[in-house]
Amino acid sequence: MVKKVKMKGVDRISSLPDSILSHILSSLSTKAAVRTSVLSTRWRNLFTLVSNLNFEFDEQHIHWRKRHKRSTVKSFMCFVDRLLFFHTVNVDKFRLACGKRVDSDRIYGWISAALRRGVKHLDINITLDKFTLPGALFTCRTLVTLKLDSGFVLHVPKAVHFPYLETLHLKSVEFFNDDSVSSLFSGCISLQDVVIEKCNMENISNFNISHHFLKKLTILYSFDCSNCWLMIDTPNLVYFKYKDHVAAGYSLENLASTVSADIQFLIEDEDLHDVTAFFKGICIVRSLILSLDSLKLLLGCESIPVFSTMVELKIFKIWSENHWWSSSMDEGLETLLSRSPELEKLSFPQVVLSSRPEQVPSCLLFKLKAIEILNFKDDEDCIRKAKYILKNGGALENFTMHTYLCEGKRLKMSKVLLASPMKSNHCNFLIL
């Protein structure tokens, strides 16, 4: 018979190997990891083995007197200095977030220290007016992820070499000139995911994203892009999201591999812009999301392209659209449906279906399996639209309508529509 022996007062965690303990500490905040040094002699220097470093100093939440502010900023800088001085291993993740009160020379040195330690994932969020990134950053062979969130001008040298960089996120960056953009993307030979958010395009005439391996591209809320041409040449792009103002012009080439596109044009006036080249570039997608303004721009193109491979389409209203849909629109969703022969899944606000064309779109006759109508009302126009769909939807399997009506009115509407002719014999009908 084996006796169970209870070992009281034994610190089993401290007996673990350094590699395991450093891995545990890497899951904590950097400050918490350093605080463990007071636990015992065993823990005194373990924080120097942590591979994930996160330094964050939020000046907005400091409400003390100026002297205390200076003291707090100095304490933060000394803390980062000491930790990096004693740090002995390579850095996997390095994040730095601080404001204008932190000395720029210190920031330059901290980033340089991370680069010397073979950092793989670098996340810099600073708000300095004038700051130059270390030149060693642009030839860092270890970087896999680079995220820059800052208000300074990004001046990229010609000699850029990121052999393993896969993810590039740029936010609130002002590009120095066209050459900075082209140098940056040409030096990232393994790039797969790019996010350009709230960047200033004032100095750019051609924003050229040309990359053979890029798979995901997101462009959001650019500033001063009205005089800038957007040029995209990405033969292996799978996902494309564009939520931005209309640029001066577009050149979208080699996007045949794009599976999904989310297009949300931000329009501040009622004038329609010519974005024909933009939509011709993405017309080979399988799944397309469009805001109401984007649909309006598409229908206003000189020549609406045929979306020959699109099987899923979603139309929706975004918060920044200060209008709904004009009832006087000559063309509505029905025009786009006539150019989407393979469409199988459709979601849209009922108001964008402006008319019921005599020549029924072929996708409604033979392909559409699921239709979802948003903001459905109990007026005659809405009822006629629903009857039109039921009468011609030969492949329809699911027909869902979302409404704000009470239960009694929904039941009454349901009886009316169920009594109307249906082309499909296996359609599930639902009013929510």
Side-chain angles (χ1 to χ4, degrees):
M1 186 175 182
V2 179
K3 292 183 179 181
K4 294 183 179 179
V5 180
K6 294 184 178 180
M7 301 182 67
K8 295 182 179 180
V10 175
D11 184 0
R12 293 188 176 182
I13 295 180
S14 296
S15 63
L16 295 173
D18 286 357
S19 59
I20 296 179
L21 291 178
S22 62
H23 180 74
I24 295 173
L25 291 180
S26 293
S27 64
L28 302 177
S29 67
T30 303
K31 282 189 175 182
V34 173
R35 289 192 185 108
T36 62
S37 63
V38 302
L39 294 177
S40 66
T41 305
R42 173 75 176 92
W43 292 81
R44 182 173 298 169
N45 297 314
L46 284 176
F47 73 91
T48 64
L49 304 178
V50 172
S51 59
N52 297 342
L53 300 178
N54 185 355
F55 302 110
E56 184 172 357
F57 183 71
D58 190 355
E59 296 180 7
Q60 295 181 354
H61 291 84
I62 300 177
H63 305 289
W64 309 314
R65 291 185 304 231
K66 288 185 178 179
R67 187 180 67 179
H68 288 164
K69 283 185 178 181
R70 289 195 297 268
S71 175
T72 306
V73 173
K74 185 176 180 180
S75 296
F76 171 76
M77 292 191 294
C78 290
F79 170 75
V80 180
D81 285 342
R82 285 196 303 268
L83 193 146
L84 291 177
F85 179 80
F86 289 107
H87 197 263
T88 58
V89 297
N90 284 347
V91 175
D92 183 46
K93 298 179 181 178
F94 184 91
R95 181 176 183 270
L96 174 64
C98 58
K100 296 181 180 181
R101 294 182 179 273
V102 179
D103 183 60
S104 60
D105 291 336
R106 285 302 226 317
I107 294 175
Y108 187 97
W110 298 337
I111 297 174
S112 299
L115 296 172
R116 289 194 299 269
R117 287 165 171 78
V119 62
K120 294 181 180 178
H121 307 279
L122 183 62
D123 185 349
I124 306 298
N125 183 347
I126 55 179
T127 55
L128 298 176
D129 293 331
K130 294 182 179 180
F131 182 75
T132 302
L133 290 165
L137 170 66
F138 298 99
T139 55
C140 183
R141 297 182 57 83
T142 58
L143 272 180
V144 177
T145 301
L146 176 60
K147 296 182 179 180
L148 297 179
D149 183 352
S150 58
F152 60 82
V153 177
L154 183 62
H155 193 169
V156 182
K158 292 184 178 180
V160 177
H161 186 52
F162 290 118
Y164 301 109
L165 189 68
E166 297 178 357
T167 301
L168 176 65
H169 290 191
L170 301 178
K171 183 178 180 181
S172 302
V173 167
E174 181 179 349
F175 292 97
F176 183 72
N177 55 22
D178 291 9
D179 292 338
S180 288
V181 177
S182 59
S183 296
L184 181 61
F185 287 106
S186 62
C188 306
I189 59 176
S190 302
L191 203 56
Q192 296 187 23
D193 181 8
V194 169
V195 176
I196 308 294
E197 181 178 1
K198 297 181 180 178
C199 290
N200 193 324
M201 305 293 180
E202 182 181 6
N203 304 323
I204 304 298
S205 56
N206 293 310
F207 194 82
N208 190 351
I209 302 176
S210 178
H211 202 282
H212 186 76
F213 296 107
L214 191 64
K215 294 182 179 179
K216 294 178 63 178
L217 174 61
T218 303
I219 301 176
L220 307 170
Y221 306 110
S222 299
F223 292 103
D224 294 320
C225 65
S226 57
N227 296 318
C228 172
W229 272 71
L230 176 62
M231 309 173 74
I232 300 175
D233 185 353
T234 49
N236 284 293
L237 195 69
V238 176
Y239 174 79
F240 178 40
K241 181 172 183 177
Y242 186 84
K243 189 174 185 178
D244 213 337
H245 303 278
V246 180
Y250 297 94
S251 175
L252 278 63
E253 301 179 354
N254 297 320
L255 300 182
S257 297
T258 308
V259 175
S260 178
D262 182 350
I263 310 301
Q264 303 174 37
F265 277 105
L266 307 176
I267 303 178
E268 298 178 352
D269 52 56
E270 291 299 322
D271 296 331
L272 290 181
H273 305 262
D274 184 13
V275 292
T276 303
F278 182 94
F279 283 108
K280 282 186 176 180
I282 65 165
C283 67
I284 316 248
V285 297
R286 288 182 56 83
S287 175
L288 179 62
I289 298 176
L290 291 176
S291 64
L292 284 184
D293 280 342
S294 302
L295 176 61
K296 181 181 289 188
L297 288 177
L298 172 57
L299 296 176
C301 290
E302 295 180 0
S303 174
I304 301 176
V306 175
F307 291 81
S308 58
T309 60
M310 184 169 66
V311 296
E312 183 175 1
L313 173 64
K314 180 180 180 180
I315 311 294
F316 75 106
K317 182 180 186 293
I318 60 178
W319 65 270
S320 60
E321 291 172 325
N322 53 17
H323 58 82
W324 193 235
W325 187 266
S326 174
S327 58
S328 62
M329 291 287 292
D330 294 332
E331 294 181 309
L333 177 62
E334 65 280 357
T335 304
L336 180 55
L337 296 182
S338 67
R339 288 164 172 78
S340 310
E342 300 297 321
L343 193 63
E344 297 180 2
K345 188 176 181 180
L346 173 65
S347 175
F348 65 97
Q350 60 83 20
V351 71
V352 302
L353 187 63
S354 299
S355 65
R356 303 176 304 282
E358 294 182 5
Q359 184 174 353
V360 183
S362 62
C363 64
L364 180 57
L365 287 170
F366 306 111
K367 293 291 184 176
L368 269 167
K369 298 177 181 179
I371 295 179
E372 179 183 45
I373 303 181
L374 309 174
N375 302 105
F376 198 82
K377 301 177 181 179
D378 60 343
D379 57 36
E380 292 184 3
D381 182 57
C382 289
I383 297 296
R384 283 195 293 266
K385 291 175 182 177
K387 287 183 176 180
Y388 177 85
I389 292 173
L390 291 171
K391 180 181 178 181
N392 296 288
L396 204 57
E397 297 176 0
N398 294 291
F399 188 28
T400 305
M401 292 178 291
H402 295 267
T403 181
Y404 295 105
L405 299 175
C406 65
E407 185 176 353
K409 289 186 176 181
R410 289 203 304 267
L411 181 60
K412 182 179 179 181
M413 185 191 302
S414 179
K415 290 180 179 179
V416 171
L417 293 176
L418 287 173
S420 63
M422 291 189 188
K423 189 166 187 178
S424 174
N425 296 323
H426 49 276
C427 177
N428 296 316
F429 183 76
L430 185 62
I431 300 179
L432 301 176

